[in-house]
Structure formats: structure tokens, C-alpha cells
Amino acid sequence: MNKIAQIFETLDYGPAPESADVALGWLDAHGKKFGHFINGAWTKPGKTFASDNPATSKKLADVTDGTAKDVDAAVKAARAAFPAWSALSGYERGKYLYAIARLVQKHSRLFAVLETMDNGKPIRESRDIDIPLVARHFYHHAGWAQHLDRSFPGMVPYGVCGQIIPWNFPLLMLAWKIAPALAAGNTVVLKPAEFTSLTALLFAEICEKAKLPKGVVNIVTGQGDTGAAIVNHPDVDKVAFTGSTEVGKIIRAATAGTGKGLSLELGGKSPYIVFDDADIDSAIEGLVDAIWFNQGQVCCAGSRLLVQESIEARFIDKLKKRMATLRVGDPLDKAVDIGALVAPVQVERIRDLMKKGAAEGGQVYEPDYDIPGGGCFMKPTLITGVSPAHTLVTEEIFGPVLVAMSFRTPEEAVALANNTKYGLAATIWSENINLALDIAPKLKAGVVWINGTNNFDAAVGFGGYKESGFGREGGKEGMAVYLKPSWEKSLKAAATSAAPAKAGAVAKNPLDDAPGIDQTAKMYIGGKQARPDSGYSRPVHAPDGTLVGEVGDGNRKDIRNAVEAARAALGWSTTAAHSRAQILYFLAENLEYRADEFAARIKVQTGESINAARKEVGDSVERLFAFAGWADKYDGAVHNPPQRMIASAMVEPIGAMAILAPPSRPLLGSIALLAPALAMGNTVVLVPSERSPLSVTDLYQVIETSDVPSGVVNVVTGETRALAKTLAEHDGIDAIWAAANAEVSAMVEKASVGNLKQTWTSRGLYYDLADKEKFEGSYFLQRATQVKNVWIPYGA
Ligand code: NAI
Ligand code: MG
């Protein structure tokens, strides 16, 4: 070997340390002790806890452990600031956001160094990724503030937003929360994570410098209890949370029935799929970014490698070689790839999980080099030889640990990829664009990267499917979660659904009313009429107490069958939108043919005039037409982020939905909810109004003659509350809408926590579903869909 080649081979990195002086100076200037930032001023530090540097285990500063009283003061300040802030023109609000973006850029190095010291992430990342994205978010949302009225007509801010963020991207998560909230006209109370409060406190100073009106942004530091105090504060209108799925579920349950807005960005176990025709070297570099970015403490980390069997050995071999060159060390060293994990408890948690995993088998590979002691350092780790049920394959490790499995066919890759309770992100590597774009829609994840990974941008929504949460951050979808229709505030209580029949009517011997032949309306499951499992039926009475019919008394088993049928029919979601439209038009047409019959049935159940009943049928036909029309129009967008990629924002159905129809308007009440759900490709288990179910049990005869595939609509009659509970608890249901009283609504929201299904409930308020202005457009379409952003290489 010649000398130059020799030097090249043996050349080592020298230290390239970033100075900590300015950040330490900033901490000194604050006496290394901080209060909260409330109403534009700093509170005196109260009881404090330490914020440490996990690379050195040394304390950086003390921050105040926020009490319920502190939270209350912050919420009061945010409430007081709300009227003036939301009344500012979008242009004025946008200028503040722009000023914040400029100031973040101006102080970017201080932010980056402080972030690295407090969190342990490599300076390379905080300097080149976190902080630039923070500035980008504020710039981007300055524009949304100004364009709000045109882009979101009729929408208003929630009011006071309580925002709780994790420690893995402390300032970036703050930006993802605060920028859209302020752009929409909300005021905020934000709690940073206990391990990483410092850049949020520096950000508070930026708000001061930007002369943001006092009370618009309030920062309260603290731990889980402080977060809970924010969530449970009665004057918080909307809660936005990023963190563990465990805490996300606690928050879902805590906000149930309160009417608070809620968006959750939770955990993940994202697949990283490499096909045998991939550019292997690029896929290896991508994988390094996917799982060792930020020490693997990334909710969307590509933590499950799925590699095609034919290249598995070669790929794993190359990967191990690459792992051996990753440099673990001082995060302030500019040539370090992997810094420190956030805190000793996190290292402990990962080690415990690894121990548990070791007991279940598998091979562990770690590169053979020393890592620094005295801080929270871990080697990059690879685990092979594991089965899909292995703890390390199913659990979010949230550390520098990759698990690898192989697959043979694309179908198997999809099945393995989706075999998780999470659905945050997924990565596909293949040089075959047909293959990649065939796989992308099959993955149940909110973000899909093709031949790239961990790409983020303010213009592109980010968020999960399934137990990874709901709501989006970034892009238009991200703005939407901070806005609500202006008419929501003037909703009145719905008339309480009094007992449907006169007292005594139900107590009659049911056999007395039984007609000679069985006229009990059947349920409708999987395209077939079905008798109730219970073998019981329920009487349906007119308002004057006359018995007008009977329906099956559905139970848990009927629901189970209906959910199974709805899931089996999910091919509906990939039926062309044009075909779905045609079927809805056909349904409308067939309903119109039988308008007289349906009107008579409405009249007999409700006691209203035949003209009113006819109008209800006409409105129902019109509503079906409306959503047939929407089926191929409510669709996605293509974003142009700064990367050489496009992000295709695909509007996808949520899946199998449960719909509990309102007590009023036996036909239109069901159609108004059913039509948007079907138009967007969801399958449905529909529970008609308990009082007047016969219009829906008649409807399935129309459904049968309208080419609606079996299982797309299933009807279970019975007692609303019991059926609602079973449906809300059922893991096979992906979303539930309940037009129900306050008690049932709260129960539905609480019971939905198991698989974190998306909910819409009327909470005992009267939603006049006949109102075309409100309900013939995006209101339910948005709730029937979720956006998947597919990042695709593109550009010159
Ligand atoms: P965490 O979910 O407990 O903490 C996130 C935030 O929620 C923090 O600000 C915390 O103070 C707050 N919080 C905790 N309990 C709360 C409650 N009952 N009500 C309101 N707010 C509450 O996450 P933690 O304990 O820091 O990390 C544990 C594990 O969670 C990690 O190992 C990782 O697996 C996962 N995690 C996932 C994240 C993601 O983005 N997917 C982010 C952080 C953690
Ligand atoms: Mg810290």
C-alpha cells in the first residue's frame, strides 16, 4: 500500500468540539434557576428539579416543578390574552410568527448548543435539523395566519390550548405545537418535558424579544402531574400531546366527555422495508438515519428492518460494517454520529426491555469499540433471529436498537409491516417505482417515505394511524386541528329523548301485539338479513304508544358478527371513487322510487305530517347525491417541500366505522352520517335510532338492490347505550360517531381508548343534520378520512 493510501486507511477523526460557553453564559445569566413564563413575565422559581446534561451527568440548571396553581395562573393569562390575539388580523399575527422565526434563526447556534447539552443529541443534528426546522415551522405558519380566512372559511380558533411535549425533539415539538396554534388565533400553555425544559425557556425569551402580547404563550415547566393539571383544567379548550401511547391513552380518557379538542401524536414501531432491487448502499445510509438519528429516540424511527430474504445476508453484513464506523461520543463534538440518551432512566428502561427480549431469543450485535463512560451512552445495536411476536419486535424501544426480520414476497412485507398496533411511519426501498407505489397505499401509516427516510417539513402533515394517535402536525391538516366551525359554539342542547312509548305500553305482554306472521324487521349483517342472537325483539312505538313494528334486540355477538363483516368488506376502500359515487347515486335513485313508502314509515314512527316525512325522504335522497358527488372530489394534495422530493398527501378512509344515528329524523339522521363515511371508502356498522329504527331496517332492502357490496353497510338494532359501548370497546372498529346524549357520548369517548379509535360525538347537543350548509360538505368528510403523506423522490 502506498503511503497516502495507508494514511487514508488509518486516518482518525480529531476532536471538533463546539464551544459550550455561550450557552453556559446564558444559564449563568439566569442564576441557573428558572421560574415559569406566565403572562409575559417570569415567576419566581418555586420547588425545583434539576435539568441535567446526559452526556456528562452534570446538572445544568434547576427548573420549577409547576403546581396546579401555576397552571391555573397560566391558563388565566392565556384566557385573558385570547380575545385580543384572536381578533388581530391574520397579517398582524403572521408578523409575530415571522419575527419569532427570524429571532430563532438569529440565535440558532445558542439554541442548538443548549439543546444538545440538555438532551444529549449530536450537535450535528440540533444544528442542521432541529433548529432549522423550528425556524421553518414559524415561517410557514406565518403564512397560514395571514391566509386563514380564505383557506378555512367559517372556522375559528378553539381558545386556550394546553400543549404537552416530549423530550426527544424539545424545541422542534414546541414549534410544531405553538406555530399552528398561534397562527389559528389560539393562545397556549405549553409544558416541556421534565428532562429538557431549557430551550423552551430560551424560546420564552424569544417571545419577549418579539414583543408577543403577554399571555399568548405561557411556558410552565414540570413533570407528569403538571401535564395532568393542564389536561384537566376546565378552562383549557384543546389539548395537544406528543409522547408515549400510555400517557396518550390517559389523556384520551381524561378528556372524554369534556368537549375539549384533542390531538395525539404517540409512539411507533415503524417498518423499514428493503426490497431485493433496492440501491443497497443508499438503503444502508437511510437506515442509519432511520434508527440512529437522535439515538433512536424518535417516534417515527425505522426500528423494524424488513429485508427481502434474497439479499438479507449481504445487507446485514454491510449494515454491521457500517455500524462499526458510527461514532458514539460527546454530543458537542461535530464529528459524532450518536450522542447520549436523554437520561439514566431511559437507558435503564431500554436495558430492561433488552433483558426481557434476550429471554425470548435472538442474536444481539454491537460493534466492538469502546464508548465513553460517565454519561448515558449506548452502542448502536442490531437484533436478528426474532419472530414477529418477540417483545423487541412489538414494543417501542425508543433507543438505538434495530430489530431485523426478513420476508419473501411483497405481500408478506405488507403483512409484517402492518402487524403492529402502531401506524406512524414506514419506509420503502426499491428501485422499482411500480413496486414502491403499489406498497405505499397498503401500509397503515400516516407517513410513508420512498427511497428516503425521516424527511420532515412544515408544509407536510405528520401523524399516525391506529395507536400512533390522531390529528396531524404541519400542513393544512395540521392547521385544521387548531380550528373548529364557528357555529359549534351556538349549538343548543338536544331535546332529551323521552321514553318513546307511553308508560304501560312496554309493560304489556309482548305476545298480545304479536301479529300472526313474524314481521320483526331483521338486522342486516354481511349482506344478509340476520335474526338477533338474543332471540328477543324490541317493540317500536308511535309517539301515541301504538305498536308500529318490532326489531331485533341486538347484543354483543351481533356486533361481533357485524364488525367482522365490515372488516371483511374493507376492499370498499380501494374501490375506485367513481364506482363508489355510482353506487351512492344508484342508492339514492332506488330510495326515491320508494319515497312514498319511506315517508309513510317516517310518519308512523314520528307522528309528523306526511309532507314533513316526504321532505325528509327528499332530503335524504339529496344528501346521498351530495356525497356521491364528493366521492371523487374530496381528495389530496401534492406538497413541494425543500427536499428533492414531493409529498403526496393522500386522503384515505379510516376503515371500519361504527355509526350511532341520532334519535331525531329516522332516515335523514342515518343517511347524513352514513353517506360521507361510505363516500370516502369506509365500511360501516350502523345502529339506527333506538326509538325509530324502521326507516333503516327498510333501507337495507334498498341497499340490497343498489350494488352496495356485502358487508359495506351492516345494521344492528337494539339498545343504543349497550351497543355503543360494545362498539367503542371493539378493536375491530377504527372510528366511531355517536349522535347521542352527553352521558353516552362521554362513555363512547372513554371506551374508545383501547385502540385509540377516532371519535365524533354530539355530546347531547342538537346537530341539525338537515342543515346542508353545515353538513353537506367537509365537516363529516374530514372526520371520515385520514391523510397519509407519501414522500417520493422528485425534482431536478
Ligand atoms: P411520557 O409520555 O411520559 O412524557 C411525555 C410528556 O408527557 C412529558 O412532558 C411528561 O411530563 C408528560 N406527562 C407524563 N404523564 C402525564 C400525564 N398523566 N398527563 C399529562 N402529561 C403527562 O414519556 P416518557 O415517560 O418521557 O418516556 C417514556 C417512553 O415513552 C419512552 O421510552 C418512549 O418509549 C415513549 N415516548 C414516545 C415519544 C414519542 O414521540 N412517540 C416521546 C416520548 C416518549
Ligand atoms: Mg436534560
Side-chain angles (χ1 to χ4, degrees), residues 51-52 118 195:
S51 204
D52 298 332
D118 202 11
F195 301 124

Side-chain angles (χ1 to χ4, degrees), residues 12 86 89 105 127 479 585 710:
D12 203 1
S86 54
S89 74
Q105 265 180 331
R127 183 196 60 195
M479 281 301 293
Y585 279 126
S710 301

